[in-house]
Structures are given as C-alpha cells and as structure tokens.
Amino acid sequence: MTRVSAILLSYRREPNVRRIISILRRHPAIDEIIVWNNNRDAPFVEPGVKVINAAENFLCIARYGAALLARNDTIYCQDDDILVPPVVLDAFLAEYAKDRGRIYGHRGKNLEAGVYGFT
C-alpha cells in the first residue's frame, strides 16, 4: 500500500482542522499528518501531528514548505475549508496508482503570487 503524508493548511478554522484530522487519521494509507498553521495569534497543538506554527501567514504556498518535511514520497494536501470523505481519498489514490506522473486534486487551481487563481 502507498504510504501518504497528509498536509493540512490552517488559518482561523481550528474546529475544521480537528474534524479533518479525525478523518485523516482513520484512512489506512495516511501514516503522517502535518498541519501548517498560518495563524500566529492562535498556536495549534495536536498530539501525534507534526505542527508548524508559522510566525506569519504564508498563504497557500506554505504547503510546499510543509511537503519538504514529509517522510513519504506521496503527499496529499488539503485546506481547512473542505471536508473530504474517505471515499474521495480512495479515488485519488486509485487514480494515482495508475499514473504517478501527475498531480490530482479536487478542482483546478493555479497559484499566482501565493494566492489561488481558479482555472
């Protein structure tokens, strides 16, 4: 089975982050969770989760910094404003197993100056 590091970006949605972590912990492929907390005014702590409490808001580009800290080659990134059912994670991994040469996501987005631009 592919081992996955899940990276979760957080900014002022701590209740969402805790719900998402609960779902990610139950997925059999995910054996590491990294939370990048962009809210310097509210440090985040969660046992068993690698947490980076940033001194400033690095926006969505922070996911790439967090990816450098992951122990697995397969990285799953998620923001704190979407709840992804485990069946969707299964579908991503099934497609990834067919073609590991591309990026899979919920919907098309491009980063422009560290901010999302939708395609």
Side-chain angles (χ1 to χ4, degrees):
M1 174 187 297
T2 299
R3 306 309 314 160
V4 178
S5 293
I7 296 174
L8 178 56
L9 294 184
S10 174
Y11 185 72
R12 297 185 178 172
R13 293 187 182 106
E14 183 176 325
N16 291 14
V17 173
R18 296 200 187 281
R19 284 183 68 198
I20 294 165
I21 288 171
S22 175
I23 289 171
L24 294 174
R25 280 187 164 144
R26 292 191 306 258
H27 198 282
I30 295 174
D31 69 355
E32 177 181 45
I33 300 172
I34 301 171
V35 172
W36 186 289
N37 178 26
N38 272 321
N39 184 2
R40 70 176 180 193
D41 297 327
F44 185 81
V45 176
E46 179 67 26
V49 172
K50 189 181 296 182
V51 178
I52 298 96
N53 285 300
E56 64 183 90
N57 186 350
F58 290 98
L59 305 170
C60 57
I61 201 81
R63 76 184 66 225
Y64 301 110
L68 296 172
L69 303 173
R71 70 173 165 238
N72 296 307
D73 291 334
T74 303
I75 309 292
Y76 169 75
C77 295
Q78 179 177 337
D79 287 346
D80 62 1
D81 60 352
I82 186 170
L83 196 59
V84 179
V87 67
V88 173
L89 296 174
D90 292 338
F92 281 157
L93 288 172
E95 291 302 313
Y96 177 68
K98 295 177 195 173
D99 181 1
R100 294 175 181 252
R102 60 180 302 244
I103 297 173
Y104 298 86
H106 306 282
R107 63 189 230 197
K109 295 181 182 181
N110 293 319
L111 291 177
E112 298 171 16
V115 178
Y116 289 128
F118 294 93
T119 57

